[in-house]
Amino acid sequence: MPVGPLILASASPRRRELLAQLGVECICKPADIDETPYADESPDAYVRRMALEKASAARRRHPGKAQWVLAADTTVVADGAVLGKPRDREDALRMLALLSGRAHIVMTAVCLRGAREESTVLVKTRVQFIPLTRHQCEAYLESGEAWDKAGAYGIQGLAGAFVAGIDGSYSNVVGLPLSETWQLLRDQGIPTALSPKASPEAFDE
């Protein structure tokens, strides 16, 4: 059965661009769900649940047998606290102050859902920030980059200057871990530029 166009359950231009890097064309259909964490819900469980609920909501709107939905949720975790998108300027400044001069974890859950199949992966990256002054944080907020990003920063933009180093997937911090996403697509027979026929065989040495 031919594979229908991939539905990306997100309005994120960054995720769409990352899929394009893999040679995957998609249709963006954001899923409108309640993103409030449950009481005592761990960050791992939260991002997994968000990705699954986004994929499920989009799949209900596009129930075709050959239709696949990809959904992802990214969050920043510092001191065990989930840092989502900032509500306002003071919230953004609070987040940047919390990240200043220390390491934090960026985690993304990716869910690929079809008519009967469902696959989910969770990827974590450790990011180290340099110490920041309030003036530097305020200057960054003037760029307008912070408002639609977890943790109030985007590593691919001006805030890349704040990053002393990372341990793990860079694309995960941007919003979609490329290696793991490609493997999910490949394993379900969804063509990409690297696997036009989705062959899962390992390279013969």
Side-chain angles (χ1 to χ4, degrees):
M1 178 182 296
V3 176
L6 182 71
I7 298 295
L8 176 62
S10 173
S12 168
R14 296 169 296 281
R15 291 191 178 125
R16 185 168 190 164
E17 289 165 3
L18 287 166
L19 281 175
Q21 282 186 235
L22 293 175
V24 178
E25 293 186 7
C26 64
I27 301 172
C28 292
K29 298 289 184 180
D32 185 16
I33 64 170
D34 182 359
E35 299 189 25
T36 305
Y38 293 153
D40 300 322
E41 186 174 29
S42 70
D44 297 49
Y46 172 71
V47 292
R48 284 184 182 275
R49 180 172 65 85
M50 288 294 97
L52 176 59
E53 290 187 6
K54 289 177 182 179
S56 299
R59 191 67 179 77
R60 285 192 295 270
R61 292 166 54 192
H62 304 279
K65 289 183 179 180
Q67 186 65 69
W68 287 92
V69 172
L70 184 77
D73 190 77
T74 300
T75 196
V76 171
V77 182
D79 280 345
V82 171
L83 304 183
K85 298 174 183 177
R87 296 184 302 273
D88 51 32
R89 187 179 184 84
E90 287 307 311
D91 195 34
L93 286 171
R94 176 188 66 82
M95 291 182 185
L96 292 172
L98 184 60
L99 301 179
S100 172
R102 59 188 304 182
H104 60 273
I105 300 297
V106 179
M107 58 177 67
T108 301
V110 182
C111 180
L112 181 64
R113 185 158 192 175
R116 297 182 180 86
E117 304 86 351
E118 177 186 293
S119 302
T120 305
V121 64
L122 178 66
V123 180
K124 299 181 182 181
T125 302
R126 182 180 182 273
V127 181
Q128 176 71 47
F129 263 30
I130 63 172
L132 304 173
T133 66
R134 182 182 179 94
H135 175 74
Q136 290 164 344
C137 293
E138 290 177 338
Y140 175 64
L141 295 185
E142 290 300 317
S143 73
E145 292 181 358
W147 309 118
D148 64 340
K149 298 175 180 66
Y153 80 94
I155 193 171
Q156 73 279 13
L158 189 59
F162 297 162
V163 178
I166 68 171
D167 182 8
S169 168
Y170 171 84
S171 57
N172 176 52
V173 185
V174 178
L176 191 69
L178 281 178
S179 178
E180 291 80 4
T181 300
W182 170 60
Q183 291 175 70
L184 287 179
L185 297 171
R186 179 201 65 189
D187 292 347
Q188 294 299 341
I190 299 173
T192 70
L194 293 172
S195 52
K197 295 184 180 179
S199 174
E201 291 82 4
F203 185 76
D204 294 328
E205 296 183 358

